């Protein structure tokens, strides 16, 4: 019983293996816009959490997010690609989930399907 529980727990915490290049782009009706406040939040998280990423004037930071969409065009889950900054990864995944809700083009899918979205934060010079 304990071994079965441990196996179930391990399977739940193991992220799915994602073939990032093969994912089709998430079919947004309108691309979400990144505001200066969002970029400022990310820059602050990178700095305060001491993430090994470069942020600042003239730089960009992109986070890929895999999105599982069901046959009714609902977002089932989002999985950020690791960039060595978990708070920024989770923030990007939440942003994609929120931006996709009610904002996807109609699809002809009859089953769950994975897509890729890329969130890019930019800091002007």
């Amino acid at each position: 019983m304990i071994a079965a529980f441990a196996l179930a727990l391990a399977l739940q915490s193991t992220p799915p293996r994602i073939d990032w290049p093969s994912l089709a782009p998430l079919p947004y009706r309108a691309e979400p816009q990144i505001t200066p406040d969002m970029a400022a939040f990310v820059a602050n998280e990178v700095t305060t959490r001491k993430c090994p990423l470069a942020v600042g004037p003239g730089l960009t930071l992109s986070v890929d997010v895999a999105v599982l969409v069901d046959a009714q065009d609902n977002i089932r889950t989002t999985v950020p690609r690791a960039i060595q900054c978990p708070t920024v990864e989770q923030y990007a995944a939440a942003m994609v989930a929120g931006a996709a809700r009610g904002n996807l083009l109609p699809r002809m899918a009859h089953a769950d399907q994975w897509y890729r979205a890329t969130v890019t934060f930019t800091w002007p010079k």
Side-chain angles (χ1 to χ4, degrees), residues 10-123:
L11 289 173
Q12 285 181 342
S13 63
T14 303
R17 180 164 301 280
I18 298 170
D19 181 10
W20 293 94
S22 72
L23 297 178
L26 188 63
Y28 287 118
R29 284 182 193 272
E31 287 286 328
Q33 300 301 308
I34 306 301
T35 68
D37 287 342
M38 292 172 172
F41 174 80
V42 167
N44 184 60
E45 287 298 304
V46 167
T47 303
T48 59
R49 308 257 184 225
K50 297 181 174 50
C51 298
L53 304 169
V55 295
L59 298 176
T60 63
L61 172 63
S62 294
V63 182
D64 288 330
V65 179
V67 183
L68 183 60
V69 180
D70 69 17
Q72 292 76 37
D73 293 337
N74 297 308
I75 305 304
R76 298 270 321 272
T77 192
T78 57
V79 179
R81 191 174 200 174
I83 60 167
Q84 299 180 343
C85 195
T87 57
V88 173
E89 295 164 14
Q90 291 303 312
Y91 183 64
M95 287 176 56
V96 168
R101 223 169 262 116
N103 186 29
L104 296 180
L105 292 170
R107 303 171 315 119
M108 295 302 182
H110 298 292
D112 294 358
Q113 185 172 349
W114 285 96
Y115 292 92
R116 179 183 33 84
T118 302
V119 179
T120 302
F121 302 95
T122 59
W123 294 275

